[in-house]
Amino acid sequence: MSTWQALDERFVWHPYTQHGIAPRATPIVRGEGAYLVDADGNRLLDAISSWWVNLHGHAHPEIADAIAQQARSLEQVIFAGFTHEPAARLAAELVEVLPDGLERIFFSDDGSTAVEVAIKIAIQSWRNRGERRTLIAALDNAYHGDTFGAMSASAPSVFTEAFGDHLFQVARLPDPIEGDPLDALDRLIETRGGELAAVIVEPLLLAAGGMRMYGEDVLRGIRERTRAAGIPLIADEVATGFGRTGPMFACDRAGVAPDLVCMSKGVTGGFLPLGVTAATAELFETFRSPDRALTFFHGHSFTGNPLACAAARTSLRLLLDPACAKARVAIEAAHEDGLARVASHPMVTRPRLLGTIAAFDLEAGEGYLAPVGRELAAFARGEGVLLRPLGNVVYLIPPYCVTPDEIGGVYGVIERFLETR
Ligand code: PMP
């Protein structure tokens, strides 16, 4: 073990890690396309895009160059009262690719803050119009992040249990896979419509809640009902944005234009943290006034960081290259083949696919703490593949530079693991 690994063990507190039993963290020294390289020179295929952030491959030279070039001219500037070209151009470029009507871009730091910002905009927008509306509706099995507002919108889980007393009350709509959120939303609007500040959803995919995929008709139904009732719809595209489900956004698959869209993860190609909340002009106008009290009093030290914006602009350009769309189609086809292979195993249930995201369940315990996921992760690690199942839910979210053969290889590793059971 090199000295710096000993320092990690002695001084670092890792996220989502039970230090009492976790295996030693794998030391990564380099990234190269779809691969990570560890301290011994072993290559690890990153089948989950390092927590779903990487789009075009690790250490992509064009994004790296864009960041380096930006760092030499302007690394950071206060974003209140000041601006810079990377942020202004990125905002315009995002508006160009976002669903219709989303015309204002608010920057923050990560997915959780993008969600906090959307919820705060929705609530304050009502207040600015002289109405007191504070109720948020969200789906069961949703996950929106780890800060308090985002945890409140998330479904109660082992992640939020310790903080339950401090979370705000949310009107919970059924997970579309288990119940009828449209009927529940109809009843909610009928009984408490005047209290509803916003409805927040992860469009088409309840991601961290178990890679649960639901139909476009449900998303359209939620949009129709919220629009008719004049209630803002927040689409949390943190996991689904930037091509993961095929088109640029999951909302595009359903032809839905929300009032607020939360983005992060892939926005910078996975190079730097950046949160983005897009809002309609209509919502923005409820804040624009000569009255300072109506200001959106929210911002972070690094809001609009020029390096992150430069990375995001380059990533977006790569994403808009037709070759990237072709690569995503090829990934989907490779998933189809792979899923068909593993689906024949008796332990595998509910194989499912949404663009470049594939998932299935293992009949071996249930929920995030089911050990089978960690066992598969350890097995795959030994075979040169990075997987991180959500308990008994196995998923692949690869970077777009992965080849169909490499995806086939990941399913091969999963098949070999299943043979050991
Ligand atoms: N929303 C969704 C849909 C997510 O999947 C995540 C992260 N997995 C978040 C929000 C929170 O993002 P972050 O981890 O960057 O705070």
Side-chain angles (χ1 to χ4, degrees), residues 258-389:
D259 301 283
L260 291 153
V261 175
C262 311
M263 293 158 270
S264 189
K265 290 193 186 282
V267 65
T268 61
F271 270 64
L272 288 166
L274 179 66
V276 182
T277 306
T280 58
E282 198 186 339
L283 281 169
F284 177 74
E285 289 307 323
T286 63
F287 289 79
R288 192 181 355 220
S289 153
D291 183 354
R292 282 187 188 283
L294 303 192
T295 304
F296 187 47
F297 292 110
H298 188 110
H300 302 277
S301 310
F302 285 98
T303 295
N305 174 254
L307 305 180
C309 292
R313 292 192 63 212
T314 308
S315 175
L316 198 54
R317 183 170 53 69
L318 295 168
L319 194 59
L320 290 170
D321 186 323
C324 185
K326 247 177 85 181
R328 301 203 297 278
V329 171
I331 289 171
E332 187 164 357
H335 278 321
E336 256 175 51
D337 292 348
L339 282 176
R341 268 160 56 198
V342 295
S344 60
H345 193 279
M347 255 176 86
V348 172
T349 58
R350 297 175 56 222
R352 48 202 187 270
L353 181 58
L354 184 65
T356 70
I357 304 171
F360 57 88
D361 295 357
L362 290 177
E363 289 283 299
E366 211 173 295
Y368 185 79
L369 297 180
V372 70
R374 289 190 302 282
E375 290 159 14
L376 171 56
F379 181 89
R381 166 82 191 81
E383 301 256 327
V385 172
L386 168 52
L387 285 176
R388 192 183 156 88

Side-chain angles (χ1 to χ4, degrees), residues 39-286:
D40 299 322
N42 300 310
R43 283 156 65 82
L44 198 58
L45 181 68
D46 188 354
I48 60 158
S49 299
S50 282
W51 258 342
W52 328 339
V53 301
N54 190 284
L55 293 191
H56 312 291
H58 290 282
H60 192 288
E62 286 177 61
I63 302 178
D65 284 349
I67 294 170
Q69 202 182 334
Q70 183 59 44
R72 283 190 211 97
S73 63
L74 176 69
E75 85 300 341
Q76 166 66 10
V77 60
I78 178 173
F79 206 56
F82 294 83
T83 191
H84 51 82
E85 185 172 357
R89 291 207 182 276
L90 175 61
E93 287 158 6
L94 286 171
V95 166
E96 188 67 28
V97 297
L98 276 159
D100 287 347
L102 293 149
E103 292 177 15
R104 284 283 170 173
I105 299 297
F106 192 97
F107 292 109
S108 60
D109 294 349
D110 49 50
S112 300
T113 54
V115 168
E116 298 285 345
V117 165
I119 291 173
K120 287 177 71 172
I121 287 175
I123 291 173
Q124 192 184 332
S125 166
W126 288 107
R127 191 173 190 271
N128 284 3
R129 283 175 280 169
E131 251 193 82
R132 190 177 183 283
R133 288 197 187 205
T134 57
L135 183 63
I136 303 294
L139 291 171
D140 207 3
N141 289 321
Y143 174 85
H144 294 290
D146 289 348
T147 50
F148 276 87
M151 275 199 294
S152 301
S154 302
S157 73
V158 65
F159 305 161
T160 63
E161 210 173 280
F163 315 103
D165 290 348
H166 301 280
L167 304 181
F168 58 73
Q169 290 293 314
V170 164
R172 198 59 67 186
L173 304 171
D175 169 345
I177 295 148
E178 293 172 348
D180 185 352
L182 298 182
D183 184 52
L185 182 56
D186 283 336
R187 280 184 282 118
L188 181 67
I189 290 172
E190 220 177 277
T191 52
R192 302 184 69 184
E195 295 169 57
L196 263 180
V199 175
I200 182 166
V201 297
E202 292 167 271
L204 306 186
L205 175 76
L206 302 169
M211 295 296 159
R212 302 163 76 90
M213 298 169 187
Y214 64 91
E216 293 161 18
D217 48 337
V218 175
L219 185 58
R220 277 192 291 272
I222 293 172
R223 174 67 288 191
E224 282 158 16
R225 284 158 176 80
T226 47
R227 178 158 285 142
I231 298 160
L233 174 63
I234 304 171
D236 177 353
E237 293 257 13
V238 168
T240 49
F242 304 101
R244 289 286 185 206
T245 72
M248 187 62 76
F249 295 100
C251 284
D252 297 329
R253 280 185 80 110
V256 156
D259 301 283
L260 291 153
V261 175
C262 311
M263 293 158 270
S264 189
K265 290 193 186 282
V267 65
T268 61
F271 270 64
L272 288 166
L274 179 66
V276 182
T277 306
T280 58
E282 198 186 339
L283 281 169
F284 177 74
E285 289 307 323
T286 63

Side-chain angles (χ1 to χ4, degrees), residues 341-342 344-345 408 410-420:
R341 268 160 56 198
V342 295
S344 60
H345 193 279
V410 175
Y411 284 97
V413 168
I414 294 168
E415 280 182 301
R416 287 200 287 286
F417 171 75
L418 292 172
E419 279 161 21
T420 68

